[in-house]
Amino acid sequence: MMLRTERLLGSATAAGLQQAKVIVFGVGGVGSWAAESLVRSGIRQLTIVDADYVAVSNINRQLMATTKTVGQVKVEALRERLLDINPDAHITAIQEIYAPDTASKFHLEDYDYILDCIDSLSNKALLILNATDTDKVFFSSMGAALKLDPTKVKVAEFWKVEGCPLGARLRTQFRRHKTFPKRKFQCVFSDEVLPNLGPDETSQPAQEGPAPMSYHKVATNGSLAHITAIFGFTLAGMVLQHIHKRSLAHQS
């Protein structure tokens, strides 16, 4: 099943992919694509975390969102798809929000890689603080909304992210509370910021199934699948590159 992966990266990296334990917080427009790319690339031990349900408004950009899955628990719908890709994978689906009252349930030290795809500013900041307090590899997605140009997506260390409103708000919050990440970490971001030109979701007809959660988002902005997918694929690629480099180092 993973012959093309092993062909490119070698047997040592392929084995490393199977052994790595990854957790993805938030499986919306970014996290869902990251999860799929990881499983298709050979990751077999994956935990996905999200409290929300699939909504009609998710269909334009979230991997597991279709007319057939509207109303389903996001992590369960995604887990089913991932197991269709690799029935031998161990996919743990947790319908939960990462927040101050739930953070202790997640033992971050049990994972090799932690991916942050959370939308909520306060919960994202909390995960950043807690993840960087471990020795585990941590990657974060900045805001993927209000973007159209895929060539503007890039990677930088958090404090060097420029032109991203979410990154700026996170840094402001850390400075205000005088609590800072314990170490540096890499982020996927884009400095493109376009205006919303159409109506917001509140002006649309009510949908069937549970109402989507807001997660205390600052705003609901327009977003597109090719951008959110590139963000997610980039995060997955960062995990693969890290495992590959580590495998090569062990062979030398």
Side-chain angles (χ1 to χ4, degrees):
M1 183 183 296
M2 300 300 168
L3 290 177
R4 294 295 180 94
T5 300
E6 187 170 350
R7 172 71 170 157
L8 175 64
L9 302 179
S11 57
T13 297
L17 289 167
Q18 292 187 23
Q19 295 165 5
K21 295 181 178 180
V22 184
I23 185 166
V24 179
F25 288 95
V27 294
V30 174
S32 60
W33 297 98
E36 167 136 343
S37 183
L38 289 169
V39 171
R40 286 190 183 275
S41 300
I43 293 293
R44 296 181 61 176
Q45 302 179 74
L46 178 67
T47 298
I48 50 178
V49 183
D50 199 303
D52 213 349
Y53 297 84
V54 178
V56 172
S57 60
N58 301 151
I59 293 175
N60 84 313
R61 71 197 182 284
Q62 298 187 12
L63 180 73
M64 64 286 171
T66 69
T67 55
K68 293 181 179 180
T69 61
V70 169
Q72 294 181 17
V73 174
K74 280 187 181 180
V75 290
E76 294 296 342
L78 180 58
R79 180 177 183 273
E80 183 176 341
R81 177 177 171 89
L82 297 177
L83 290 176
D84 282 343
I85 295 168
N86 185 357
D88 294 325
H90 300 282
I91 311 295
T92 302
I94 302 177
Q95 188 187 11
E96 186 66 88
I97 297 174
Y98 190 86
D101 59 339
T102 63
S104 62
K105 298 179 182 179
F106 300 95
H107 301 285
L108 300 180
E109 64 277 2
D110 292 344
Y111 301 92
D112 300 303
Y113 296 89
I114 304 166
L115 300 187
D116 159 41
C117 305
I118 294 175
D119 290 331
S120 162
L121 180 66
S122 59
N123 295 339
K124 191 177 194 73
L126 177 65
L127 178 59
I128 289 172
L129 293 175
N130 290 340
T132 57
D133 198 28
T134 73
D135 62 354
K136 306 306 178 181
V137 181
F138 173 63
F139 299 128
S140 179
S141 170
M142 297 291 102
L146 300 179
K147 304 178 193 311
L148 178 62
D149 186 349
T151 67
K152 291 183 178 295
V153 180
K154 61 197 81 172
V155 175
E157 198 282 319
F158 173 68
W159 293 100
K160 295 183 179 180
V161 169
E162 297 180 347
C164 174
L166 178 56
R169 287 196 295 269
L170 284 166
R171 290 192 292 268
T172 297
Q173 178 159 318
F174 290 142
R175 293 187 180 106
R176 180 182 300 125
H177 296 288
K178 297 182 179 179
T179 55
F180 299 94
K182 303 299 190 298
R183 54 184 168 86
K184 294 181 179 180
F185 60 96
Q186 296 293 306
C187 301
V188 182
F189 76 103
S190 167
D191 57 9
E192 180 181 29
V193 182
L194 300 175
N196 286 309
L197 299 179
D200 63 27
E201 293 177 12
T202 60
S203 65
Q204 304 304 306
Q207 65 182 46
E208 296 181 3
M213 299 177 178
S214 69
Y215 294 114
H216 307 292
K217 295 180 183 178
V218 176
T220 300
N221 292 313
S223 51
L224 296 167
H226 71 285
I227 296 294
T228 61
I230 290 172
F231 270 61
F233 288 153
T234 302
L235 286 173
M238 291 160 72
V239 172
L240 267 63
Q241 288 181 81
H242 190 273
I243 293 174
H244 186 48
K245 289 178 181 178
R246 186 176 59 187
S247 297
L248 292 177
H250 288 166
Q251 295 176 52
S252 61

